[in-house]
């Protein structure tokens, strides 16, 4: 690593150049106007100072043209800041559909990462270069913040909900990960590394890692252990709605609202089942708050996702398949 103190971290993600350019623009505008304004203050203070006790200023008036010029130019410059910043903000909040999914759970004081294939890491995350990575994040305790300076992204990790962020790493290497929200005694030690690897190295890393079973396989096992299938029968004959094809669908609620079944909705329905009751069903589900860890909830979410998007498959397996189905 470079030991020289560098003013900026390396640009290692798709967002980094744009974020830096916006910052340079903000700096340039700020410096220009600071110099202009302070320059004018000193020049005017000397040039137009009061020269005698009896001196009275002449009544003056400003030209309309000057008024317009010094209103329109700053307006234009600030609208560029707004437009540019908004564009970046929106692109940072919308992961592309082909993004690779990683789950992150923050807790005092570590980062737990889970790959879809089952690999788990603590305070380290291995990703391939050149591929968009989407992080779905939550916290077990207090608010943390997932901050990778080299990627120029920072996103709060909040207990009780999922937040997402994404980036495409553009340079192989090892990059600092920080917690950027004060979260208690060892906040400053809640740090880690992102390893960006060439795709073939990443594949080798994936194959070489200890496998814990894929997230959705583990979710299926948990689904059976918790006997969810007793009520959520796949054919829809149970006391609770079938979960087949649920993910991403619009759901009609008993109170008349229609919501989209995303990760946050599924998580809420596991931990606070009465928050949103599906139309036509009774609020009979017990809460699983305290019975399932955040990682367990993520596995259940992935399992429920895996039940979707395949209208032709036989849903009866959902509650009857034996636990030995993961290889
Ligand atoms: Cu976690 Cu600061």
């Amino acid at each position: 690593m470079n030991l020289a103190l560098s003013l900026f971290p390396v640009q290692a993600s798709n967002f980094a150049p744009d974020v830096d350019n916006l910052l340079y623009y903000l700096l340039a505008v700020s410096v220009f106007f600071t110099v202009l304004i302070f320059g004018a203050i000193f020049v005017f203070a000397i040039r137009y100072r009061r020269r005698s006790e009896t001196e009275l200023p002449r009544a003056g008036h400003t030209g309309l043209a000057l008024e317009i010029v010094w209103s329109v130019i700053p307006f234009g410059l600030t609208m560029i800041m707004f437009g540019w910043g908004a564009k970046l903000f929106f692109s940072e909040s919308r992961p592309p559909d082909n993004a690779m999914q990683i789950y992150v759970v923050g807790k005092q004081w570590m980062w737990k990462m889970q790959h879809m294939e089952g690999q788990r890491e603590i305070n380290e995350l291995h990703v391939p270069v050149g591929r968009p990575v989407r992080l779905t994040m939550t916290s077990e305790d207090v608010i943390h913040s997932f901050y990778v300076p080299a990627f120029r992204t920072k996103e709060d990790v909040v207990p009780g909900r999922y937040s997402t962020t994404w980036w495409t790493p553009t340079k192989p290497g090892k990059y600092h990960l920080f917690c950027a929200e004060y979260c208690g005694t060892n906040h400053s030690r809640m740090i880690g590394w992102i390893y960006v690897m060439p795709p073939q190295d990443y594949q080798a890393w994936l194959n070489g890692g200890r496998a814990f079973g894929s997230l959705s396989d583990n979710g299926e096992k948990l689904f059976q252990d918790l006997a969810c299938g007793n009520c959520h029968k796949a054919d829809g004959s149970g006391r609770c709605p079938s979960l087949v094809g649920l993910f991403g669908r619009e759901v009609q609620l008993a109170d008349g609202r229609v919501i989209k079944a995303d990760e946050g909705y599924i998580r809420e329905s596991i931990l606070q089942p009465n928050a949103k009751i599906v139309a036509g069903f009774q609020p009979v589900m017990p809460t699983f708050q305290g019975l399932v860890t955040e990682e367990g909830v993520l596995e259940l979410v992935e399992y429920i996702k895996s039940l979707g998007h395949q209208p032709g498959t036989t849903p009866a397996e959902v509650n009857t398949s034996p636990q030995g189905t993961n290889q």
Side-chain angles (χ1 to χ4, degrees), residues 108-109 142 182-190:
Q108 290 168 322
W109 287 275
V142 299
Y182 180 69
C183 55
T185 315
N186 289 329
H187 157 72
S188 61
R189 292 205 211 144
M190 193 168 163

Side-chain angles (χ1 to χ4, degrees), residues 121-162:
E121 307 186 63
I122 288 182
N123 294 340
E124 288 190 344
L125 177 62
H126 291 74
V127 285
V129 70
R131 211 171 136 198
V133 176
R134 172 197 158 128
L135 305 175
T136 300
M137 310 185 287
T138 190
S139 165
E140 280 182 20
D141 35 48
V142 299
I143 302 178
H144 304 278
S145 186
F146 195 95
Y147 177 37
V148 188
F151 295 171
R152 309 291 193 278
T153 57
K154 187 195 295 180
E155 184 68 39
D156 276 5
V157 177
V158 183
R161 69 156 85 157
Y162 289 137

Side-chain angles (χ1 to χ4, degrees), residues 25 69 71-83:
Y25 172 74
V69 165
S71 302
V72 167
I73 291 177
F75 177 74
L77 291 171
T78 45
M79 284 313 284
I80 293 173
M81 291 175 194
F82 169 72

Side-chain angles (χ1 to χ4, degrees), residues 26-322:
L26 294 172
L27 274 176
V29 171
S30 306
V31 167
F32 175 78
F33 280 102
T34 305
V35 170
L36 184 71
I37 290 167
F38 276 86
I41 288 173
F42 284 112
V43 169
F44 291 172
I46 293 163
R47 190 148 171 219
Y48 300 110
R49 70 187 187 279
R50 202 173 183 199
R51 284 159 217 264
S52 73
E53 279 296 306
T54 53
E55 184 180 347
L56 288 173
R58 270 184 297 125
H61 66 93
T62 11
L64 180 65
L66 186 61
E67 289 273 8
I68 290 174
V69 165
W70 73 33
S71 302
V72 167
I73 291 177
F75 177 74
L77 291 171
T78 45
M79 284 313 284
I80 293 173
M81 291 175 194
F82 169 72
W84 193 348
K87 184 174 154 278
L88 252 173
F89 176 80
F90 282 121
S91 62
E92 286 193 11
S93 15
R94 289 200 192 123
D97 290 339
N98 63 343
M100 184 179 133
Q101 173 74 54
I102 303 275
Y103 285 105
V104 176
V105 176
K107 64 171 278 193
Q108 290 168 322
W109 287 275
M110 63 171 82
W111 295 105
K112 298 189 278 186
M113 329 278 188
Q114 292 201 36
H115 295 251
M116 297 296 290
E117 295 82 359
Q119 271 75 8
R120 295 168 189 223
E121 307 186 63
I122 288 182
N123 294 340
E124 288 190 344
L125 177 62
H126 291 74
V127 285
V129 70
R131 211 171 136 198
V133 176
R134 172 197 158 128
L135 305 175
T136 300
M137 310 185 287
T138 190
S139 165
E140 280 182 20
D141 35 48
V142 299
I143 302 178
H144 304 278
S145 186
F146 195 95
Y147 177 37
V148 188
F151 295 171
R152 309 291 193 278
T153 57
K154 187 195 295 180
E155 184 68 39
D156 276 5
V157 177
V158 183
R161 69 156 85 157
Y162 289 137
S163 53
T164 56
T165 187
W166 79 279
W167 23 256
T168 304
T170 49
K171 265 196 193 99
K174 181 184 173 192
Y175 305 106
H176 259 305
L177 159 67
F178 293 103
C179 177
E181 181 73 53
Y182 180 69
C183 55
T185 315
N186 289 329
H187 157 72
S188 61
R189 292 205 211 144
M190 193 168 163
I191 51 180
W193 294 98
I194 313 276
Y195 293 90
V196 176
M197 316 168 89
Q200 61 275 20
D201 291 6
Y202 175 70
Q203 206 51 50
W205 177 84
L206 264 191
N207 296 336
R210 273 191 299 154
F212 293 89
S214 78
L215 280 190
S216 63
D217 285 348
N218 291 343
E220 181 176 13
K221 188 169 175 304
L222 195 52
F223 193 82
Q224 287 155 356
D225 291 349
L226 297 168
C228 308
N230 289 354
C231 295
H232 290 284
K233 291 199 196 302
D235 59 6
S237 68
R239 292 195 300 158
C240 302
S242 162
L243 304 177
V244 175
L246 170 68
F247 189 77
R249 211 174 59 194
E250 310 243 287
V251 178
Q252 174 75 53
L253 299 182
D255 61 11
R257 280 180 298 164
V258 175
I259 51 110
K260 192 170 168 227
D262 57 9
E263 286 103 341
Y265 166 71
I266 294 175
R267 179 183 182 283
E268 180 187 62
S269 298
I270 295 169
L271 301 177
Q272 296 156 44
N274 292 340
K276 297 193 174 76
I277 303 294
V278 178
F281 289 88
Q282 293 301 311
V284 292
M285 177 168 159
T287 173
F288 285 83
Q289 189 97 54
L291 298 175
V292 194
T293 61
E294 286 294 348
E295 280 106 330
V297 175
L298 291 173
E299 290 169 347
L300 287 170
V301 167
E302 270 313 309
Y303 171 60
I304 290 166
K305 275 193 197 176
S306 75
L307 299 174
H309 317 304
Q310 312 147 303
T313 47
T314 55
E317 281 163 17
V318 171
N319 97 61
T320 53
S321 75

